[in-house]
C-alpha cells in the first residue's frame, strides 16, 4: 500500500511539473499578490487594505504580466508593455481593466529596480520564492493573461507566452475581447 | 521507488526556473550539489591576479583595474544552462548601477570563448567583459577555490576593491541566483 502511495505521489509531482502553462478558458489561480504597493496603486486596483489577491481587484478584467528582471525579453518588452498600459488608460476601457505585474523569482530590491529602470506605472508584485510562478505551472517569461473577473471564476480569456511581436495588434485583441 | 521520487523532484527543479530569452533553450542540468569546492581565499586577502581571453577579443587582467575600479567577479558554472542564462542578463541590466558605484562587473565561466560568445549573443548581448577560464581548465576558478569537482565553476560572487583586496565572497547555492540587491549593498559599503 505504502508503495502505491509513493508511486501516486511521484506521478502527481511529475504531472504538476509537466502540466503546460495555462491557456485561454482555463481559470487563473487566485494568487496572493506579494509586496508593498503605493497608496495610488492600491487605489488603482480598488483593493482593500491588507493582503491582496487577484480576486480582490476591483475591476471587470485583470491584465497580468508574469515577468522577471533577469529575463532579456521582459527587459526588451518593458517599454512596449508600458505603452500598452498608457494606451489602455487613454481608452474607453480604462475603468474596466487593471494591469498587474508579477515578478517571478525576484526580490523586493529587484522589483524596485525593474520598476525604476523602466518607469513602470502599474503595480508590480514580487514572487521571490516562485510561489505564484509555480501556481501558474512555471510559465515562461514574459507571459501575459487577460483574466475575466466578473464571474468570480477568473476565467483566462487571453494567454500569450513570450515576446509580443505586434503589441498594437495584441492590445487591440485585448480591448476587443473586453467587448464580448 | 526512491529513484522515481528523486527523478520527480529533479523534474520540478528543472522547471522551477524560467525567464530567459525565448530564442534560446538552456540545457537542463537538474538539481546539483549546492557547493562542491573549498575556498582558497577569504575576505581581506589580496585577490590572485589572472589574465584571461575575452569574447570581444584580447585579454583582461584583474590587475588592469588595480587603483582604478572595484571589481565584481561573477563566476557561473556553465554556458547554456538555466540559472546562468537567467543571471547575467539581469546583471547586464544593472550595469549602470554597478558602474555608478565605481565598479566593473567581470563574468567568468570555464567554457571556451566561441561558446561564450554565442551564448552571450543568445542572451541579447552582454556589455561587461566575459572571460574564458577554459584552458588551463578552470585555473583561475581554482586559484580562488571555486572550481567544482565536476570541472564547472561554482556560482560565486567575489568583490575586490581598488587595492586588490577581497571584500566580499559569496559561494552561492549553484541551483539559485544570488540576489542583485546583496551585491549592490556590498558595493555601497565600499563607496562609503
Amino acid at each position: 500500500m505504502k508503495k502505491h502511495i509513493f508511486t501516486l505521489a511521484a506521478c502527481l509531482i511529475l504531472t504538476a511539473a509537466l502540466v503546460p502553462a495555462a491557456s485561454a478558458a482555463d481559470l487563473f489561480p487566485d494568487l496572493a499578490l506579494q509586496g508593498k504597493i503605493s497608496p495610488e496603486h492600491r487605489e488603482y486596483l480598488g483593493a482593500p487594505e491588507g493582503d491582496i489577491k487577484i480576486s480582490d481587484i476591483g475591476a471587470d478584467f485583470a491584465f497580468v504580466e508574469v515577468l522577471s528582471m533577469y529575463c532579456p525579453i521582459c527587459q526588451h518588452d518593458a517599454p512596449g508593455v508600458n505603452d500598452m498600459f498608457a494606451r489602455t488608460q487613454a481608452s474607453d476601457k480604462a475603468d474596466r481593466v487593471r494591469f498587474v505585474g508579477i515578478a517571478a523569482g525576484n526580490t523586493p530590491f529587484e522589483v524596485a529596480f525593474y520598476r525604476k529602470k523602466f518607469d513602470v506605472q502599474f503595480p508590480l508584485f514580487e514572487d521571490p520564492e516562485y510561489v505564484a510562478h509555480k501556481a501558474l505551472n512555471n510559465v515562461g517569461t514574459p507571459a501575459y493573461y487577460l483574466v475575466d473577473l466578473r464571474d468570480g471564476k477568473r476565467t483566462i480569456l487571453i494567454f500569450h507566452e513570450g515576446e509580443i511581436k505586434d503589441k498594437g495588434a495584441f492590445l487591440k485583441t485585448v480591448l476587443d475581447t473586453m467587448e464580448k | 521507488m526512491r529513484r522515481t521520487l528523486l527523478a520527480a523532484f529533479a523534474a520540478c527543479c528543472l522547471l522551477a526556473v524560467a525567464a530567459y530569452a525565448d530564442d534560446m533553450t538552456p540545457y537542463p542540468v537538474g538539481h546539483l550539489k549546492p557547493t562542491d569546492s573549498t575556498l582558497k581565499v577569504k575576505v581581506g586577502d589580496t585577490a590572485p591576479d589572472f589574465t584571461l581571453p575575452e569574447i570581444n577579443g584580447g585579454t583582461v587582467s584583474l590587475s588592469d583595474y588595480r587603483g582604478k575600479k572595484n571589481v565584481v567577479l561573477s563566476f557561473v558554472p556553465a554556458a547554456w544552462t538555466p540559472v546562468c542564462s537567467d543571471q547575467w542578463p539581469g546583471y547586464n541590466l544593472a550595469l549602470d548601477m554597478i558602474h555608478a558605484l565605481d565598479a566593473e562587473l567581470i563574468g567568468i565561466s570555464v567554457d571556451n570563448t566561441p561558446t561564450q560568445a554565442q551564448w552571450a549573443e543568445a542572451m541579447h548581448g552582454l556589455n561587461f567583459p566575459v572571460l574564458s577560464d577554459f584552458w588551463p581548465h578552470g585555473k583561475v576558478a581554482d586559484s580562488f577555490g571555486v572550481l567544482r569537482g565536476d570541472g564547472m565553476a561554482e556560482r560565486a560572487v567575489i568583490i575586490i576593491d581598488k587595492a586588490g583586496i577581497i571584500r566580499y565572497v559569496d559561494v552561492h547555492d549553484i541551483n539559485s541566483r544570488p540576489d542583485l540587491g546583496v551585491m549592490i549593498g556590498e558595493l555601497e559599503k565600499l563607496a562609503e
Side-chain angles (χ1 to χ4, degrees):
Chain A
M1 182 62 183
K2 189 179 282 183
K3 185 177 178 182
H4 290 305
I5 292 172
F6 274 126
T7 305
L8 179 63
C11 290
L12 286 172
I13 291 169
L14 270 173
T15 303
L18 297 174
V19 164
S23 57
D26 285 347
L27 298 183
F28 195 87
D30 197 11
L31 302 174
L33 300 172
Q34 292 187 62
K36 290 181 180 176
I37 58 170
S38 68
E40 292 78 18
H41 279 162
R42 186 175 289 276
E43 184 179 355
Y44 167 72
L45 293 176
E49 287 300 316
D51 297 338
I52 305 174
K53 293 190 294 185
I54 290 288
S55 60
D56 292 328
I57 294 174
D60 291 343
F61 303 93
F63 182 87
V64 181
E65 179 190 12
V66 182
L67 62 119
S68 168
M69 188 212 92
Y70 291 88
C71 154
I73 299 294
C74 305
Q75 298 170 9
H76 179 262
D77 268 11
V81 176
N82 285 343
D83 185 57
M84 287 200 296
F85 173 67
R87 289 167 62 184
T88 301
Q89 290 299 92
S91 77
D92 60 357
K93 306 293 192 307
D95 292 336
R96 300 193 67 198
V97 60
R98 295 293 179 265
F99 276 52
V100 167
I102 298 172
N106 292 178
T107 63
F109 179 93
E110 291 161 344
V111 172
F113 170 69
Y114 187 89
R115 178 185 294 117
K116 184 177 179 185
K117 184 81 179 180
F118 294 110
D119 191 23
V120 179
Q121 296 296 312
F122 56 88
L124 298 179
F125 294 90
E126 65 225 31
D127 182 27
E129 303 301 327
Y130 293 97
V131 174
H133 188 237
K134 285 173 186 166
L136 294 168
N137 294 320
N138 302 304
V139 66
T141 56
Y144 304 90
Y145 300 84
L146 179 65
V147 183
D148 188 344
L149 300 173
R150 291 172 298 182
D151 56 5
K153 293 179 183 173
R154 301 175 308 283
T155 305
I156 297 171
L157 302 178
I158 293 175
F159 171 68
H160 179 92
E161 188 176 28
E163 182 181 6
I164 300 171
K165 303 288 185 188
D166 185 342
K167 292 180 180 61
F170 182 75
L171 180 62
K172 183 176 186 309
T173 301
V174 168
L175 298 178
D176 288 349
T177 300
M178 285 190 261
E179 293 282 7
K180 295 172 185 171
Chain B
M1 177 50 60
R2 183 174 291 174
R3 275 183 299 195
T4 305
L5 286 171
L6 284 173
F9 176 69
C12 288
C13 291
L14 287 177
L15 295 169
V17 179
Y20 15 80
D22 66 355
D23 52 357
M24 70 181 295
T25 304
Y27 184 85
V29 293
H31 191 83
L32 302 175
K33 185 179 177 184
T35 60
D36 187 36
S37 63
T38 303
L39 266 174
K40 295 180 179 176
V41 296
K42 62 182 184 302
V43 171
D45 287 354
T46 298
D49 195 21
F50 58 79
T51 299
L52 289 172
E54 205 271 332
I55 55 173
N56 293 316
T59 59
V60 170
S61 300
L62 179 61
S63 55
D64 294 343
Y65 299 91
R66 184 73 66 89
K68 299 172 185 169
K69 280 197 169 192
N70 304 307
V71 172
V72 179
L73 296 183
S74 170
F75 285 95
V76 296
W80 300 101
T81 56
V83 180
C84 302
S85 302
D86 185 43
Q87 183 177 352
W88 281 358
Y91 289 179
N92 198 58
L93 185 69
L95 273 182
D96 286 351
M97 190 162 44
I98 293 168
H99 291 163
L101 291 165
D102 215 10
E104 182 59 275
L105 175 69
I106 294 176
I108 303 176
S109 79
V110 298
D111 307 285
N112 66 8
T113 298
T115 299
Q116 289 181 328
Q118 289 300 300
W119 182 45
E121 185 177 325
M123 289 187 285
H124 293 200
L126 299 172
N127 298 312
F128 55 86
V130 174
L131 310 186
S132 169
D133 193 16
F134 179 68
W135 200 257
H137 187 82
K139 182 182 176 185
V140 173
D142 189 45
S143 71
F144 284 85
V146 295
L147 184 66
R148 293 169 66 97
D150 58 7
M152 290 194 292
E154 299 282 10
R155 189 176 314 286
V157 174
I158 298 172
I159 296 179
I160 300 157
D161 69 15
K162 293 177 187 174
I165 306 299
I166 294 173
R167 301 291 292 271
Y168 174 76
V169 177
D170 173 21
V171 180
H172 209 76
D173 180 343
I174 196 170
N175 303 289
S176 66
R177 193 180 51 220
D179 179 359
L180 173 68
V182 174
M183 178 211 294
I184 297 300
E186 293 298 327
L187 288 175
E188 286 173 342
K189 289 179 191 173
L190 293 188
E192 285 171 357

